[in-house]
């Protein structure tokens, strides 16, 4: 029964992708931001990366998909009235759920509402499909801020993306957890392109060593490619900006973290990720 539903959804999204491909030259790029260990800076990175993309002339949508600790809204000092669940289970339009963040970045508060969407009835699944299709249509890039760890929900979201940025800190526990996350996500979706990003680095040398070690282990033991995306330094401006509930890129545009973030955003735009036809973002959630 559930498999039937999943198969039907795949058909629907295949048709949609085909129709979309005929009219759009560059389909939306889905980038998930994840980590093994919690508190490594995913939400701050995702939000500020989205803002940076907007500044660089791209249209970006940020989905807050951390089902445990949704906090994009807290980083911005706002409290959204509705979540994605209200659009699918309630009577809200998806456009009412979406809100405009800084620089015109679109933000979809998902949070704990997303977990309610697993195992939906067919009619609701169709509503969700259509909503997501509408949302993605106008975008160049969709960023998915996932939770930490290798729980089912996190892995599902991450493996629904084309590209996955795995964030680690230089701590050994964060590094081993990052490796575990890469292993599980790559087993689920072999086509994902992985990047490693080191946050809280005390120096460029430290960041480079951490990233190289992970790359070596991932390539040797998992036989998959992983690209070193860069690093963000340990920077107290980030903490100050969080305390003020302002994105660090806007509160402190010239601070070390902002400068590196800018380089990373430009680098991601330069890296031309070939797009494969693939299913809807949420189809994975229904397959279980
Ligand atoms: N580069 C950095 N330098 C200093 N502090 C940082 C940096 N990145 C994140 N932080 C701090 O770490 C905390 C956790 O970051 P957050 O983005 O919420 O992590 P996650 O989403 O992975 O749980 C933030 O409140 C912030 O103060
Ligand atoms: Mg977070």
């Amino acid at each position: 029964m559930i498999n039937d539903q999943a198969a039907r959804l795949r058909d629907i999204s295949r048709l949609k992708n085909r129709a979309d491909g005929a009219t759009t030259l560059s389909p939306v790029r889905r980038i998930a931001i994840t980590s093994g260990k919690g508190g490594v800076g995913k939400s701050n990175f995702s939000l500020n990366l989205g803002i940076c993309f907007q500044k660089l002339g791209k249209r970006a949508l940020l989905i807050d998909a951390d089902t445990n600790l949704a906090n994009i809204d807290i980083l911005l000092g706002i409290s959204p009235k509705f979540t994605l669940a209200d659009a699918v289970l309630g009577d809200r339009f998806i456009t009412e759920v979406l809100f405009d963040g800084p620089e015109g970045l679109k933000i979809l508060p998902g949070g704990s509402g997303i977990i309610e969407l697993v195992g939906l009835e067919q009619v609701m699944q169709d509503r969700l499909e259509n909503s997501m299709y509408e949302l993605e249509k106008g975008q160049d890039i969709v960023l998915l801020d996932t939770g930490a760890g290798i729980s089912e929900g996190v892995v599902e979201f991450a493996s629904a993306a084309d590209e996955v940025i795995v964030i680690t800190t230089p701590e050994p526990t964060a590094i081993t957890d990052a490796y575990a996350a890469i292993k599980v996500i790559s087993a689920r979706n072999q086509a994902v392109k992985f990047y490693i990003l080191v946050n809280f680095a005390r120096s460029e040398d430290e960041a480079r060593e951490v990233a190289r070690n992970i790359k070596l282990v991932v390539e040797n033991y998992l036989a998959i490619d992983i690209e070193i995306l860069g690093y963000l330094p340990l920077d107290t401006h980030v903490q100050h900006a969080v305390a003020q509930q302002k994105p660090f890129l806007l509160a402190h545009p010239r601070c070390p973290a902002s400068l590196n973030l800018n380089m990373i955003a430009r680098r991601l735009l330069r890296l031309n990720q070939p797009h494969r036809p693939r299913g809807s973002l949420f189809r994975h959630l229904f397959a279980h």
Side-chain angles (χ1 to χ4, degrees):
M1 174 64 183
I2 290 179
N3 280 337
D4 285 355
Q5 289 177 357
R8 211 184 130 229
L9 276 169
R10 268 192 290 273
D11 286 345
I12 293 171
S13 40
R14 240 181 249 136
L15 285 174
K16 281 176 179 166
N17 276 329
R18 212 177 296 149
D20 205 30
T23 50
T24 328
L25 282 175
S26 55
V28 65
R29 219 170 135 174
R30 278 186 208 147
I31 308 178
I33 293 93
T34 195
S35 70
K37 193 172 177 288
V40 299
K42 290 180 298 299
S43 298
N44 273 279
F45 175 74
S46 310
L47 173 64
N48 288 280
L49 181 67
I51 295 171
C52 209
F53 281 147
Q54 289 288 137
K55 279 176 168 290
L56 293 168
K58 297 289 168 192
R59 293 160 303 174
L61 163 70
L62 170 60
I63 301 181
D64 187 351
D66 187 340
T67 51
N68 292 315
L69 294 162
N71 55 14
I72 295 294
D73 47 340
I74 297 169
L75 291 178
L76 290 168
I78 49 157
S79 41
K81 277 208 234 61
F82 309 112
T83 70
L84 182 57
D86 293 302
V88 177
L89 305 174
D91 54 3
R92 297 289 150 193
F93 290 111
I94 195 79
T95 44
E96 290 179 90
V97 177
L98 206 63
F99 67 88
D100 278 321
E103 302 290 325
L105 172 70
K106 299 269 183 256
I107 299 173
L108 186 72
S112 53
I114 281 184
I115 216 82
E116 297 165 25
L117 301 179
V118 178
L120 283 178
E121 290 168 31
Q122 184 64 51
V123 56
M124 297 297 178
Q125 290 184 21
D126 289 348
R127 278 183 77 172
L128 179 60
E129 284 294 303
N130 288 332
S131 300
M132 289 314 299
Y133 177 67
E134 284 307 312
L135 285 185
E136 286 196 336
K137 218 166 54 179
Q139 305 301 325
D140 299 310
I141 297 164
V142 172
L143 296 173
L144 282 156
D145 177 19
T146 77
I150 51 171
S151 69
E152 192 58 29
V154 173
V155 174
E156 288 303 338
F157 272 110
S159 47
D162 312 297
E163 298 160 82
V164 175
I165 300 174
V166 181
I167 303 189
T168 184
T169 71
E171 281 184 305
T173 46
I175 295 171
T176 45
D177 291 355
Y179 175 79
I182 295 164
K183 187 173 173 180
V184 177
I185 296 164
S186 63
R188 188 75 53 92
N189 180 355
Q190 279 94 11
V192 162
K193 167 139 180 59
F194 284 99
Y195 304 94
I196 188 84
L197 177 104
V198 181
N199 191 14
F200 290 94
R202 277 161 302 207
S203 69
E204 191 171 342
D205 282 349
E206 181 187 50
R208 192 176 298 128
E209 197 188 323
V210 169
R212 279 191 186 154
N213 283 342
I214 292 177
K215 186 174 163 72
L216 206 72
V217 175
V218 166
E219 291 183 348
N220 282 342
Y221 290 92
L222 301 179
I224 52 173
D225 290 331
I226 181 163
E227 190 154 337
I228 298 173
L229 187 59
Y231 76 100
L232 291 187
L234 172 66
D235 183 347
T236 51
H237 293 94
V238 177
Q239 285 140 354
H240 291 149
V242 170
Q244 292 178 303
Q245 297 189 293
K246 290 203 178 101
F248 65 82
L249 190 74
L250 301 179
H252 309 285
R254 310 293 305 162
C255 76
S258 293
L259 296 180
N260 276 29
L261 188 90
N262 246 295
M263 284 195 302
I264 290 165
R266 286 168 194 275
R267 188 163 146 71
L268 277 169
L269 294 183
R270 272 199 311 274
L271 295 166
N272 237 352
Q273 176 66 7
H275 293 285
R276 297 165 304 277
R278 38 78 167 122
S280 135
L281 183 55
F282 284 90
R283 117 181 116 75
H284 297 261
L285 290 177
F286 305 136
H288 295 272

